[in-house]
Protein backbone atom coordinates (compact mmCIF):
# COMPACT_ATOMS: atom_id res chain seq x y z
CA UNK A 1 0.00 0.00 0.00
CA UNK A 2 0.92 3.64 0.19
CA UNK A 3 3.99 4.27 2.30
CA UNK A 4 4.83 7.75 3.52
CA UNK A 5 7.42 9.08 5.91
CA UNK A 6 7.13 12.47 7.52
CA UNK A 7 9.76 14.69 9.09
CA UNK A 8 8.82 17.38 11.50
CA UNK A 9 11.42 20.10 11.65
CA UNK A 10 13.46 22.25 9.34
CA UNK A 11 16.57 21.92 7.23
CA UNK A 12 17.06 18.17 7.20
CA UNK A 13 20.19 16.33 6.17
CA UNK A 14 20.52 12.60 5.80
CA UNK A 15 23.09 9.93 5.07
CA UNK A 16 22.11 6.46 4.02
CA UNK A 17 24.48 3.52 4.02
CA UNK A 18 24.03 0.23 2.30
CA UNK A 19 25.72 -3.15 2.73
CA UNK A 20 24.90 -5.81 0.19
CA UNK A 21 24.15 -9.23 1.58
CA UNK A 22 22.22 -11.82 -0.39
CA UNK A 23 21.15 -13.55 2.83
CA UNK A 24 19.18 -10.56 3.99
CA UNK A 25 17.06 -9.80 0.99
CA UNK A 26 13.70 -9.96 2.76
CA UNK A 27 14.79 -7.52 5.41
CA UNK A 28 16.12 -5.21 2.75
CA UNK A 29 12.90 -5.35 0.81
CA UNK A 30 10.96 -4.16 3.82
CA UNK A 31 13.53 -1.49 4.53
CA UNK A 32 13.37 -0.20 1.02
CA UNK A 33 9.62 -0.28 1.11
CA UNK A 34 9.76 2.25 3.89
CA UNK A 35 12.35 4.22 2.03
CA UNK A 36 10.20 4.49 -0.96
CA UNK A 37 8.97 7.57 0.59
CA UNK A 38 12.53 7.83 0.84
CA UNK A 39 11.98 10.72 0.32
CA UNK A 40 14.30 12.61 1.97
CA UNK A 41 16.75 10.35 2.86
CA UNK A 42 16.83 10.05 -0.40
CA UNK A 43 17.73 8.01 -2.75
CA UNK A 44 16.79 5.08 -1.07
CA UNK A 45 16.73 1.95 -2.97
CA UNK A 46 13.77 -0.30 -2.66
CA UNK A 47 13.34 -3.73 -4.11
CA UNK A 48 9.62 -3.74 -4.68
CA UNK A 49 7.31 -1.88 -7.00
CA UNK A 50 5.85 0.79 -4.79
CA UNK A 51 3.19 3.38 -5.19
CA UNK A 52 3.97 7.07 -5.31
CA UNK A 53 5.25 8.48 -2.05
CA UNK A 54 5.42 11.85 -0.42
CA UNK A 55 7.00 13.40 2.63
CA UNK A 56 5.98 16.32 4.75
CA UNK A 57 8.63 18.58 6.19
CA UNK A 58 7.49 20.82 9.02
CA UNK A 59 8.20 24.51 8.92
CA UNK A 60 9.31 26.78 11.75
CA UNK A 61 5.74 27.29 12.86
CA UNK A 62 5.19 23.60 13.42
CA UNK A 63 3.17 23.21 10.25
CA UNK A 64 4.03 20.88 7.38
CA UNK A 65 5.20 21.47 3.87
CA UNK A 66 4.45 18.67 1.51
CA UNK A 67 7.43 17.28 -0.33
CA UNK A 68 6.92 15.57 -3.64
CA UNK A 69 9.03 12.46 -4.11
CA UNK A 70 10.33 11.53 -7.50
CA UNK A 71 11.67 8.19 -8.46
CA UNK A 72 13.65 6.50 -11.14
CA UNK A 73 13.50 2.86 -12.20
CA UNK A 74 16.72 1.13 -13.09
CA UNK A 75 14.79 -1.42 -15.18
CA UNK A 76 15.90 -4.05 -12.68
CA UNK A 77 14.34 -5.10 -9.41
CA UNK A 78 15.72 -1.97 -7.79
CA UNK A 79 13.95 1.37 -7.77
CA UNK A 80 15.94 4.40 -6.77
CA UNK A 81 13.74 6.83 -4.94
CA UNK A 82 14.87 10.31 -5.71
CA UNK A 83 11.61 12.08 -5.12
CA UNK A 84 8.81 11.00 -7.38
CA UNK A 85 6.29 13.23 -9.06
CA UNK A 86 3.10 11.25 -9.55
CA UNK A 87 2.25 13.39 -12.56
CA UNK A 88 5.32 12.96 -14.72
CA UNK A 89 7.33 10.23 -13.02
CA UNK A 90 10.56 11.99 -13.89
CA UNK A 91 13.68 11.92 -11.74
CA UNK A 92 13.69 15.32 -10.14
CA UNK A 93 16.02 15.29 -7.20
CA UNK A 94 18.29 13.19 -5.11
CA UNK A 95 20.45 12.88 -2.01
CA UNK A 96 23.71 11.21 -1.10
CA UNK A 97 24.43 7.50 -1.38
CA UNK A 98 27.49 5.52 -0.37
CA UNK A 99 28.08 2.12 -1.88
CA UNK A 100 30.73 -0.27 -0.67
CA UNK A 101 31.81 -3.33 -2.59
CA UNK A 102 33.21 -5.87 -0.15
CA UNK A 103 34.70 -7.92 -2.94
CA UNK A 104 36.81 -4.98 -4.02
CA UNK A 105 37.13 -3.37 -0.61
CA UNK A 106 35.74 -0.15 -2.03
CA UNK A 107 33.06 2.29 -0.95
CA UNK A 108 31.08 4.63 -3.15
CA UNK A 109 28.73 7.42 -2.16
CA UNK A 110 25.64 8.94 -3.67
CA UNK A 111 23.62 11.95 -2.58
CA UNK A 112 20.00 12.17 -3.72
CA UNK A 113 17.95 15.36 -3.70
CA UNK A 114 15.02 16.46 -1.60
CA UNK A 115 12.84 19.28 -2.82
CA UNK A 116 9.86 21.13 -1.50
CA UNK A 117 6.80 20.60 -3.64
CA UNK A 118 7.11 22.69 -6.76
CA UNK A 119 10.69 23.76 -6.00
CA UNK A 120 12.94 24.29 -9.00
CA UNK A 121 15.74 21.75 -9.18
CA UNK A 122 18.29 20.11 -11.42
CA UNK A 123 17.52 16.50 -12.39
CA UNK A 124 19.83 14.34 -10.28
CA UNK A 125 22.36 11.86 -11.54
CA UNK A 126 21.02 8.33 -11.09
CA UNK A 127 23.45 5.66 -9.80
CA UNK A 128 23.42 1.98 -10.61
CA UNK A 129 23.22 -0.15 -7.47
CA UNK A 130 23.24 -3.82 -6.65
CA UNK A 131 19.89 -5.54 -6.23
CA UNK A 132 20.40 -6.63 -2.62
CA UNK A 133 21.76 -4.63 0.27
CA UNK A 134 21.62 -3.71 3.91
CA UNK A 135 20.88 -0.02 4.12
CA UNK A 136 21.55 2.44 6.90
CA UNK A 137 20.15 5.94 6.88
CA UNK A 138 21.24 8.86 9.07
CA UNK A 139 19.33 12.10 9.44
CA UNK A 140 20.47 15.53 10.48
CA UNK A 141 18.87 18.96 10.52
CA UNK A 142 19.81 22.59 10.86
CA UNK A 143 16.58 23.06 12.76
CA UNK A 144 15.84 22.12 16.35
CA UNK A 145 14.56 18.59 15.87
CA UNK A 146 13.76 15.72 13.53
CA UNK A 147 10.75 13.44 13.98
CA UNK A 148 10.13 10.44 11.74
CA UNK A 149 6.51 9.38 11.27
CA UNK A 150 5.20 6.83 8.80
CA UNK A 151 1.64 6.40 7.54
CA UNK A 152 1.30 2.85 8.81
CA UNK A 153 1.02 3.32 12.57
CA UNK A 154 4.76 3.08 12.99
CA UNK A 155 5.01 -0.37 11.44
CA UNK A 156 7.12 0.75 8.49
CA UNK A 157 9.58 2.59 10.70
CA UNK A 158 9.82 -0.47 12.92
CA UNK A 159 10.45 -2.72 9.94
CA UNK A 160 13.18 -0.37 8.76
CA UNK A 161 14.81 -0.41 12.22
CA UNK A 162 14.43 3.35 12.54
CA UNK A 163 15.52 5.02 15.77
CA UNK A 164 14.35 8.53 16.55
CA UNK A 165 14.68 8.44 20.32
CA UNK A 166 13.39 6.37 23.24
CA UNK A 167 11.24 6.70 26.31
CA UNK A 168 8.72 8.85 24.51
CA UNK A 169 11.23 11.55 23.51
CA UNK A 170 13.19 12.11 20.30
CA UNK A 171 16.94 12.59 20.09
CA UNK A 172 16.58 16.07 18.64
CA UNK A 173 18.38 16.83 15.39
CA UNK A 174 19.34 13.22 14.78
CA UNK A 175 17.62 10.03 13.64
CA UNK A 176 18.65 6.87 11.81
CA UNK A 177 17.17 3.84 10.07
CA UNK A 178 18.94 0.48 9.98
CA UNK A 179 22.13 2.11 11.21
CA UNK A 180 23.04 -0.66 13.65
CA UNK A 181 22.39 -3.34 11.04
CA UNK A 182 24.53 -1.51 8.52
CA UNK A 183 27.47 -1.26 10.88
CA UNK A 184 27.13 -4.91 11.86
CA UNK A 185 27.48 -5.80 8.19
CA UNK A 186 30.24 -3.26 7.49
CA UNK A 187 32.30 -4.31 10.49
CA UNK A 188 32.45 -7.87 9.20
CA UNK A 189 32.96 -6.96 5.55
CA UNK A 190 36.74 -6.67 5.63
CA UNK A 191 36.75 -3.01 4.60
CA UNK A 192 40.13 -1.44 3.95
CA UNK A 193 39.94 1.46 6.39
CA UNK A 194 42.79 3.96 5.98
CA UNK A 195 45.00 4.56 9.00
CA UNK A 196 45.16 7.92 10.72
CA UNK A 197 48.00 10.20 9.65
CA UNK A 198 49.94 12.65 11.81
CA UNK A 199 48.72 16.22 11.80
CA UNK A 200 50.76 19.42 11.59
CA UNK A 201 50.46 19.68 15.37
CA UNK A 202 52.47 16.48 15.73
CA UNK A 203 49.52 14.45 16.98
CA UNK A 204 47.56 11.66 15.36
CA UNK A 205 44.77 13.17 13.28
CA UNK A 206 41.52 13.53 15.20
CA UNK A 207 38.48 11.33 14.71
CA UNK A 208 34.83 11.84 15.58
CA UNK A 209 35.67 10.09 18.87
CA UNK A 210 38.51 12.41 19.83
CA UNK A 211 37.86 14.64 22.84
CA UNK A 212 39.73 17.32 20.90
CA UNK A 213 36.90 17.33 18.37
CA UNK A 214 33.62 16.37 20.05
CA UNK A 215 31.07 18.64 21.67
CA UNK A 216 28.03 18.01 23.86
CA UNK A 217 26.23 15.98 21.19
CA UNK A 218 28.86 14.06 19.26
CA UNK A 219 28.30 11.77 16.29
CA UNK A 220 25.29 13.67 14.99
CA UNK A 221 24.34 15.17 11.65
CA UNK A 222 25.90 14.47 8.28
CA UNK A 223 28.22 15.63 5.49
CA UNK A 224 25.87 15.79 2.51
CA UNK A 225 25.81 19.11 0.65
CA UNK A 226 23.65 20.70 -2.03
CA UNK A 227 23.82 23.73 -4.31
CA UNK A 228 21.15 26.42 -4.19
CA UNK A 229 21.06 29.46 -6.45
CA UNK A 230 19.58 32.88 -5.74
CA UNK A 231 16.16 31.77 -6.96
CA UNK A 232 15.99 28.75 -4.69
CA UNK A 233 16.84 26.21 -7.38
CA UNK A 234 18.49 23.20 -5.74
CA UNK A 235 20.88 20.60 -7.12
CA UNK A 236 23.31 17.88 -6.18
CA UNK A 237 26.70 19.34 -5.39
CA UNK A 238 28.75 17.93 -8.26
CA UNK A 239 31.15 19.32 -10.84
CA UNK A 240 28.56 19.56 -13.59
CA UNK A 241 26.12 21.53 -11.46
CA UNK A 242 28.86 23.73 -10.05
CA UNK A 243 29.77 24.74 -13.60
CA UNK A 244 26.16 25.28 -14.60
CA UNK A 245 25.20 27.16 -11.43
CA UNK A 246 28.05 29.61 -11.05
CA UNK A 247 27.70 31.57 -7.84
CA UNK A 248 25.36 29.06 -6.21
CA UNK A 249 25.54 28.64 -2.44
CA UNK A 250 26.73 25.38 -0.93
CA UNK A 251 24.35 24.32 1.83
CA UNK A 252 25.43 21.79 4.40
CA UNK A 253 24.64 20.41 7.83
CA UNK A 254 26.73 21.74 10.71
CA UNK A 255 28.25 18.83 12.60
CA UNK A 256 31.35 17.29 14.14
CA UNK A 257 31.77 15.56 10.80
CA UNK A 258 31.95 18.84 8.91
CA UNK A 259 34.24 20.32 11.55
CA UNK A 260 36.59 17.35 11.23
CA UNK A 261 36.61 16.99 7.45
CA UNK A 262 36.38 20.61 6.30
CA UNK A 263 37.79 22.82 9.03
CA UNK A 264 39.88 21.51 11.93
CA UNK A 265 41.23 18.63 9.88
CA UNK A 266 42.20 20.99 7.07
CA UNK A 267 43.81 23.43 9.51
CA UNK A 268 45.91 20.58 10.93
CA UNK A 269 46.81 19.10 7.57
CA UNK A 270 44.70 15.97 8.01
CA UNK A 271 42.84 14.39 5.11
CA UNK A 272 39.51 12.62 5.78
CA UNK A 273 38.57 9.21 4.48
CA UNK A 274 36.52 9.74 1.34
CA UNK A 275 34.91 7.47 -1.20
CA UNK A 276 33.70 7.69 -4.77
CA UNK A 277 30.71 9.96 -5.29
CA UNK A 278 28.35 8.24 -7.73
CA UNK A 279 26.67 11.57 -8.42
CA UNK A 280 29.91 13.30 -9.35
CA UNK A 281 31.82 11.34 -12.00
CA UNK A 282 34.15 9.57 -9.64
CA UNK A 283 35.05 12.48 -7.37
CA UNK A 284 35.14 11.60 -3.68
CA UNK A 285 33.19 12.69 -0.60
CA UNK A 286 33.12 11.83 3.10
CA UNK A 287 30.32 10.66 5.35
CA UNK A 288 29.25 10.09 8.94
CA UNK A 289 29.51 6.34 8.49
CA UNK A 290 33.04 6.49 7.10
CA UNK A 291 34.11 8.66 10.03
CA UNK A 292 32.54 6.33 12.58
CA UNK A 293 34.09 3.25 11.01
CA UNK A 294 37.54 4.84 11.03
CA UNK A 295 37.13 6.14 14.58
CA UNK A 296 36.02 2.71 15.79
CA UNK A 297 39.14 1.11 14.34
CA UNK A 298 41.84 3.63 15.23
CA UNK A 299 40.83 6.05 17.97
CA UNK A 300 43.22 5.70 20.92
CA UNK A 301 42.26 6.12 24.57
CA UNK A 302 40.55 8.11 25.90
CA UNK A 303 37.75 7.36 23.46
CA UNK A 304 34.77 9.70 23.32
CA UNK A 305 31.51 7.76 23.03
CA UNK A 306 28.02 9.23 23.33
CA UNK A 307 27.68 9.91 27.08
CA UNK A 308 24.48 9.61 29.14
CA UNK A 309 24.45 13.38 29.74
CA UNK A 310 24.40 14.17 26.02
CA UNK A 311 21.29 16.38 25.64
CA UNK A 312 20.14 14.14 22.80
CA UNK A 313 19.89 11.03 24.99
CA UNK A 314 18.31 12.35 28.18
CA UNK A 315 14.60 12.00 28.92
CA UNK A 316 11.99 14.75 28.84
CA UNK A 317 13.03 15.94 32.29
CA UNK A 318 16.73 16.04 31.49
CA UNK A 319 17.52 12.81 33.32
CA UNK A 320 19.87 10.17 31.95
CA UNK A 321 18.05 7.39 30.08
CA UNK A 322 20.09 4.28 29.29
CA UNK A 323 17.64 3.00 26.68
CA UNK A 324 17.94 6.22 24.73
CA UNK A 325 21.73 6.33 25.02
CA UNK A 326 21.91 2.73 23.83
CA UNK A 327 19.59 3.39 20.88
CA UNK A 328 21.68 6.35 19.78
CA UNK A 329 24.98 4.55 20.18
CA UNK A 330 23.80 1.55 18.19
CA UNK A 331 23.01 3.83 15.26
CA UNK A 332 26.57 5.17 15.13
CA UNK A 333 28.58 2.00 15.59
CA UNK A 334 29.11 2.30 19.35
CA UNK A 335 28.63 -0.35 22.03
CA UNK A 336 26.03 0.25 24.74
CA UNK A 337 27.07 2.46 27.62
CA UNK A 338 26.34 2.31 31.33
CA UNK A 339 23.98 5.25 31.54
CA UNK A 340 25.47 6.27 34.88
CA UNK A 341 26.62 9.45 36.55
CA UNK A 342 30.11 7.95 36.77
CA UNK A 343 30.18 7.53 33.00
CA UNK A 344 29.04 11.14 32.52
CA UNK A 345 31.67 12.37 34.97
CA UNK A 346 34.42 10.50 33.16
CA UNK A 347 33.33 12.07 29.87
CA UNK A 348 33.43 15.58 31.33
CA UNK A 349 36.79 14.92 32.97
CA UNK A 350 38.31 13.83 29.65
CA UNK A 351 36.67 16.79 27.93
CA UNK A 352 38.39 19.10 30.41
CA UNK A 353 41.76 17.36 30.46
CA UNK A 354 42.02 16.63 26.73
CA UNK A 355 39.57 18.81 24.84
CA UNK A 356 40.19 22.16 26.52
CA UNK A 357 44.03 22.08 26.34
CA UNK A 358 43.90 21.20 22.63
CA UNK A 359 42.22 24.53 21.89
CA UNK A 360 45.36 26.16 23.22
CA UNK A 361 47.95 23.81 21.76
CA UNK A 362 46.29 23.85 18.33
CA UNK A 363 45.90 27.64 18.32
CA UNK A 364 48.93 28.12 16.07
CA UNK A 365 46.87 26.41 13.35
CA UNK A 366 43.38 27.66 14.18
CA UNK A 367 43.88 31.36 14.90
CA UNK A 368 42.95 33.16 11.71
CA UNK A 369 41.60 30.00 10.06
CA UNK A 370 38.09 30.19 8.62
CA UNK A 371 35.29 29.79 11.14
CA UNK A 372 32.60 27.11 10.65
CA UNK A 373 30.09 29.56 12.13
CA UNK A 374 30.56 33.30 11.77
CA UNK A 375 27.86 33.93 14.37
CA UNK A 376 29.85 32.00 16.97
CA UNK A 377 33.47 32.97 16.44
CA UNK A 378 35.58 35.22 14.25
CA UNK A 379 37.85 32.32 13.35
CA UNK A 380 38.26 28.61 14.03
CA UNK A 381 40.08 29.24 17.32
CA UNK A 382 37.35 31.38 18.86
CA UNK A 383 34.66 29.11 17.40
CA UNK A 384 36.19 26.11 19.20
CA UNK A 385 36.48 28.02 22.46
CA UNK A 386 32.87 29.16 22.33
CA UNK A 387 31.79 25.64 21.39
CA UNK A 388 33.63 24.20 24.38
CA UNK A 389 31.99 26.65 26.76
CA UNK A 390 28.51 25.88 25.45
CA UNK A 391 29.18 22.13 25.55
CA UNK A 392 30.50 22.26 29.13
CA UNK A 393 27.22 23.90 30.09
CA UNK A 394 25.07 21.61 27.94
CA UNK A 395 26.62 18.48 29.43
CA UNK A 396 26.21 19.79 32.96
CA UNK A 397 29.90 19.20 33.60
CA UNK A 398 30.15 21.89 36.28
CA UNK A 399 27.95 19.74 38.50
CA UNK A 400 29.98 16.60 37.83
CA UNK A 401 33.62 17.68 37.92
CA UNK A 402 35.30 19.56 40.74
CA UNK A 403 37.18 22.49 39.23
CA UNK A 404 38.85 25.46 40.89
CA UNK A 405 37.95 28.45 38.77
CA UNK A 406 40.01 31.64 38.71
CA UNK A 407 36.82 33.63 38.31
CA UNK A 408 34.56 31.93 40.83
CA UNK A 409 31.44 33.59 39.45
CA UNK A 410 31.79 31.61 36.22
CA UNK A 411 31.73 27.82 36.20
CA UNK A 412 33.32 27.27 32.80
CA UNK A 413 37.00 26.49 32.16
CA UNK A 414 36.93 28.61 29.01
CA UNK A 415 34.92 31.80 28.67
CA UNK A 416 33.97 33.56 25.45
CA UNK A 417 34.59 37.29 25.11
CA UNK A 418 31.87 38.64 22.84
CA UNK A 419 31.62 41.69 20.65
CA UNK A 420 28.51 43.88 20.37
CA UNK A 421 26.95 41.36 18.00
CA UNK A 422 27.45 38.41 20.35
CA UNK A 423 30.30 36.92 18.32
CA UNK A 424 33.27 35.44 20.20
CA UNK A 425 36.35 37.55 19.48
CA UNK A 426 38.67 36.24 22.21
CA UNK A 427 38.84 33.64 24.95
CA UNK A 428 39.46 33.76 28.69
CA UNK A 429 41.03 30.72 30.37
CA UNK A 430 39.45 30.25 33.74
CA UNK A 431 41.59 27.59 35.41
CA UNK A 432 45.19 27.82 36.56
CA UNK A 433 46.18 24.83 34.44
CA UNK A 434 44.74 26.23 31.22
CA UNK A 435 46.09 29.70 31.89
CA UNK A 436 49.57 28.35 32.53
CA UNK A 437 49.42 26.33 29.31
CA UNK A 438 48.30 29.39 27.36
CA UNK A 439 51.14 31.42 28.84
CA UNK A 440 53.78 28.75 28.15
CA UNK A 441 52.48 28.49 24.61
CA UNK A 442 52.94 32.22 24.13
CA UNK A 443 49.23 32.61 23.57
CA UNK A 444 48.79 35.09 26.43
CA UNK A 445 51.14 37.18 28.53
CA UNK A 446 51.89 36.36 32.17
CA UNK A 447 49.61 39.21 33.25
CA UNK A 448 46.60 38.32 31.11
CA UNK A 449 43.92 35.63 31.04
CA UNK A 450 42.45 36.72 27.71
CA UNK A 451 43.63 35.94 24.21
CA UNK A 452 42.59 37.76 21.08
CA UNK A 453 42.45 35.97 17.76
CA UNK A 454 44.63 37.76 15.28
CA UNK A 455 44.63 36.72 11.64
CA UNK A 456 48.25 37.81 11.37
CA UNK A 457 49.33 34.85 13.50
CA UNK A 458 47.53 32.29 11.37
CA UNK A 459 49.63 29.58 9.77
CA UNK A 460 47.07 28.59 7.16
CA UNK A 461 47.30 29.94 3.67
CA UNK A 462 44.67 32.18 2.13
CA UNK A 463 43.85 29.54 -0.47
CA UNK A 464 43.39 26.86 2.19
CA UNK A 465 41.11 29.08 4.23
CA UNK A 466 39.12 29.99 1.14
CA UNK A 467 38.63 26.32 0.37
CA UNK A 468 37.31 25.72 3.86
CA UNK A 469 35.11 28.79 3.69
CA UNK A 470 33.53 27.44 0.54
CA UNK A 471 32.04 24.61 2.59
CA UNK A 472 30.49 26.85 5.21
CA UNK A 473 26.83 26.13 5.79
CA UNK A 474 24.34 28.59 4.45
CA UNK A 475 20.64 27.83 4.73
CA UNK A 476 18.56 28.21 1.60
CA UNK A 477 16.14 31.08 1.90
CA UNK A 478 12.60 29.97 2.54
CA UNK A 479 13.24 26.24 2.18
CA UNK A 480 14.11 23.13 4.08
CA UNK A 481 17.22 21.18 3.26
CA UNK A 482 17.58 17.45 3.47
CA UNK A 483 20.57 15.36 2.62
CA UNK A 484 21.09 11.67 2.61
CA UNK A 485 24.00 9.40 2.19
CA UNK A 486 24.09 5.72 1.41
CA UNK A 487 27.01 3.41 1.93
CA UNK A 488 26.91 0.03 0.31
CA UNK A 489 29.12 -2.92 1.09
CA UNK A 490 28.71 -5.44 -1.70
CA UNK A 491 29.48 -9.11 -2.06
CA UNK A 492 29.70 -8.67 -5.77
CA UNK A 493 30.50 -5.82 -8.10
CA UNK A 494 27.91 -3.11 -8.52
Amino acid sequence: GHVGIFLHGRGFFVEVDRHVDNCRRCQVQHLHKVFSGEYIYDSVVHLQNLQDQHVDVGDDRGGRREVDNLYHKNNKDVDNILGHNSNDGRCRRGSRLHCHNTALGSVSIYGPLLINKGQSHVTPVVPTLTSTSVVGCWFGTNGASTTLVDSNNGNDLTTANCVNGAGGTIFGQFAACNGAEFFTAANSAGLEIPTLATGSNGNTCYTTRSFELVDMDQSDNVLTTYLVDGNGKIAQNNAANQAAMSGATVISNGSDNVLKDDFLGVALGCSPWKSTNLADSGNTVGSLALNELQAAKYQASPIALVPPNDPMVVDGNGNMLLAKQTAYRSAVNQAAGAGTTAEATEYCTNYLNVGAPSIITDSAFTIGFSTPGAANGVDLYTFLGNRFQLSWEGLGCADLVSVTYLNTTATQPILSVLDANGVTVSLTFNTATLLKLAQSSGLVSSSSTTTTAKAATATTSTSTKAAAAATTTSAAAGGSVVTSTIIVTATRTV
Side-chain angles (χ1 to χ4, degrees):
H2 185 87
V3 178
I5 292 183
F6 305 87
L7 297 183
H8 299 202
R10 178 175 175 279
F12 297 99
F13 293 76
V14 185
E15 291 188 353
V16 181
D17 300 88
R18 220 170 133 248
H19 173 277
V20 170
D21 184 341
N22 291 325
C23 297
R24 308 184 71 169
R25 184 183 182 108
C26 292
Q27 177 187 28
V28 175
Q29 290 176 340
H30 289 300
L31 175 62
H32 288 318
K33 183 174 183 180
V34 176
F35 282 168
S36 343
E38 182 5 272
Y39 44 92
I40 162 172
Y41 317 98
D42 353 319
S43 161
V44 172
V45 188
H46 67 154
L47 307 180
Q48 302 293 319
N49 292 323
L50 302 174
Q51 298 181 13
D52 299 341
Q53 308 301 324
H54 73 278
V55 179
D56 288 341
V57 178
D59 60 22
D60 289 336
R61 298 177 298 280
R64 292 182 175 179
R65 282 196 294 272
E66 183 176 36
V67 177
D68 207 8
N69 281 287
L70 316 175
Y71 74 93
H72 172 82
K73 290 187 179 242
N74 288 331
N75 295 319
K76 296 181 179 180
D77 60 343
V78 178
D79 288 337
N80 214 316
I81 301 305
L82 305 176
H84 169 71
N85 183 312
S86 58
N87 295 319
D88 58 33
R90 290 179 296 127
C91 219
R92 298 175 53 186
R93 75 156 191 258
S95 66
R96 179 179 293 175
L97 165 73
H98 306 92
C99 303
H100 174 264
N101 186 303
T102 55
L104 301 178
S106 62
V107 178
S108 57
I109 300 170
Y110 174 76
L113 265 186
L114 174 80
I115 60 170
N116 290 322
K117 187 175 183 179
Q119 180 178 10
S120 177
H121 61 277
V122 176
T123 300
V125 175
V126 179
T128 298
L129 304 174
T130 54
S131 61
T132 58
S133 64
V134 174
V135 177
C137 182
W138 292 264
F139 307 85
T141 177
N142 288 340
S145 63
T146 299
T147 298
L148 306 183
V149 181
D150 66 20
S151 57
N152 191 24
N153 298 317
N155 293 321
D156 294 325
L157 292 176
T158 298
T159 299
N161 301 312
C162 295
V163 290
N164 201 175
T169 59
I170 62 172
F171 294 132
Q173 293 181 318
F174 181 80
C177 291
N178 221 52
E181 288 70 21
F182 164 78
F183 282 119
T184 295
N187 289 333
S188 61
L191 300 181
E192 295 183 6
I193 301 175
T195 58
L196 299 172
T198 298
S200 302
N201 59 0
N203 298 324
T204 300
C205 289
Y206 302 145
T207 75
T208 48
R209 298 182 190 180
S210 297
F211 280 99
E212 296 91 337
L213 182 87
V214 301
D215 59 5
M216 70 177 126
D217 45 13
Q218 70 170 82
S219 302
D220 69 325
N221 292 341
V222 297
L223 278 160
T224 309
T225 61
Y226 295 129
L227 295 175
V228 176
D229 67 14
N231 297 316
K233 185 176 185 178
I234 192 168
Q236 291 172 312
N237 186 10
N238 57 35
N241 290 334
Q242 289 169 11
M245 299 172 67
S246 178
T249 298
V250 176
I251 54 176
S252 63
N253 186 203
S255 66
D256 292 1
N257 290 287
V258 170
L259 177 64
K260 170 190 169 295
D261 285 14
D262 299 333
F263 291 91
L264 187 54
V266 176
L268 297 177
C270 295
S271 299
W273 179 19
K274 294 184 177 182
S275 296
T276 301
N277 185 352
L278 297 180
D280 195 14
S281 301
N283 288 320
T284 59
V285 288
S287 77
L288 175 153
L290 294 181
N291 282 339
E292 292 297 335
L293 286 168
Q294 188 177 47
K297 186 173 181 64
Y298 297 116
Q299 177 60 48
S301 181
I303 302 173
L305 301 174
V306 175
N309 50 331
D310 178 334
M312 288 197 181
V313 301
V314 297
D315 66 16
N317 296 314
N319 299 314
M320 295 179 219
L321 182 59
L322 178 58
K324 197 172 182 182
Q325 179 193 18
T326 299
Y328 195 110
R329 282 194 176 196
S330 68
V332 291
N333 202 27
Q334 297 177 13
T340 62
T341 299
E343 186 177 46
T345 300
E346 181 181 11
Y347 192 92
C348 287
T349 300
N350 286 325
Y351 197 40
L352 173 63
N353 294 337
V354 179
S358 72
I359 294 174
I360 297 172
T361 56
D362 288 340
S363 63
F365 308 95
T366 59
I367 291 178
F369 193 91
S370 298
T371 175
N376 303 101
V378 294
D379 62 3
L380 181 55
Y381 166 72
T382 51
F383 172 87
L384 291 171
N386 173 261
R387 180 171 173 264
F388 181 92
Q389 178 182 350
L390 295 177
S391 295
W392 185 262
E393 296 172 353
L395 289 166
C397 291
D399 296 325
L400 298 171
V401 181
S402 177
V403 179
T404 300
Y405 297 102
L406 298 177
N407 176 356
T408 57
T409 64
T411 57
Q412 296 88 22
I414 298 177
L415 301 171
S416 300
V417 178
L418 310 178
D419 66 11
N421 296 314
V423 178
T424 301
V425 295
S426 63
L427 303 175
T428 295
F429 299 107
N430 198 30
T431 72
T433 299
L434 291 176
L435 177 58
K436 182 178 180 179
L437 179 61
Q439 292 171 338
S440 64
S441 300
L443 194 58
V444 299
S445 68
S446 59
S447 60
S448 174
T449 60
T450 302
T451 66
T452 301
K454 297 180 180 179
T457 65
T459 60
T460 53
S461 67
T462 300
S463 60
T464 299
K465 290 190 289 183
T471 66
T472 302
T473 299
S474 177
S480 295
V481 179
V482 181
T483 70
S484 108
T485 301
I486 300 175
I487 292 184
V488 182
T489 50
T491 54
R492 57 189 176 81
T493 57
V494 175

